[in-house]
Amino acid sequence: MLEITRPLVPISPFAGLPKVRTPGGGVSVSTYDNLGIASVLAKKNKETELAERVQQRYGIRLPQTPAYSDARGIAFIATGPRCWLATAEAGGYAFSTSLRHAAGDLASISDQSDGYVVLRLAGAKVRETLSKLVPIDVHPRAFPVGMAVVTVAAHIGVTMWRVADEVGATSAFELALYRSMVGSFWHVLWESAAEFGVELTNMESTNMESTHTTGWRSAARRAST
């Protein structure tokens, strides 16, 4: 007897997308393996208590304005009144669970690890690249380290924040967008950065097929009994 099953196999949101380096190295593009992502919504009149809880638990001052704050691989990005996007390097699905326990009845927590993708853009020409994509001023005086915005990049909704500069005073930004929009965003990002040269980090084929932030595909398996 022939039995066919279709187990779910995780795939990266970047699987199948062109990953072509171009000379120049003006822009570096990277992503995270096993990044935990969660949305946080403070319950009514609980913002102050939630901020105290986050400070105690994670050592992070919860931003109350459009800003980004992090410590020890965990970050909170303010996205609106009483709303934050929280990330944890290598946190995986467990991050939202631990965050839910930490927040208790002070906030509603929803896991977004499979719903969002976070990209890190850096390099000498990262500002020139972003200027082609977003309708906001990314000059250092207008967009300092720690600032965050909810905006659009080539008509694609993104949350963007500026992290600490990399070695050599190179500016670095991180962008979160819906996983379903990765293909469209990847296309416009590559076109915008191509003239400056693009370097890809942590995006080799081995990682692209095994990262935690995934979708799911069916794989047929035959088993005879």
Side-chain angles (χ1 to χ4, degrees), residues 47-134:
E47 300 96 314
T48 300
E49 291 180 68
L50 178 63
E52 293 173 353
R53 186 75 58 83
V54 170
Q55 179 70 54
Q56 294 169 358
R57 178 65 175 81
Y58 301 106
I60 295 174
R61 188 172 183 177
L62 195 62
Q64 301 299 319
T65 59
Y68 154 90
S69 184
D70 72 323
R72 299 187 296 277
I74 294 176
F76 284 81
I77 305 96
T79 57
R82 300 188 295 120
C83 299
W84 297 266
L85 191 67
T87 66
E89 295 179 22
Y93 296 121
F95 173 59
S96 61
T97 300
S98 65
L99 187 58
R100 192 174 293 112
H101 289 320
D105 61 355
L106 302 178
S108 297
I109 312 295
S110 297
D111 183 81
Q112 302 291 343
S113 300
D114 283 343
Y116 279 90
V117 169
V118 175
L119 285 171
R120 183 184 183 94
L121 307 182
K125 295 296 184 179
V126 66
R127 294 183 186 281
E128 288 83 345
T129 298
L130 287 173
S131 293
K132 299 179 182 182
L133 296 171
V134 297

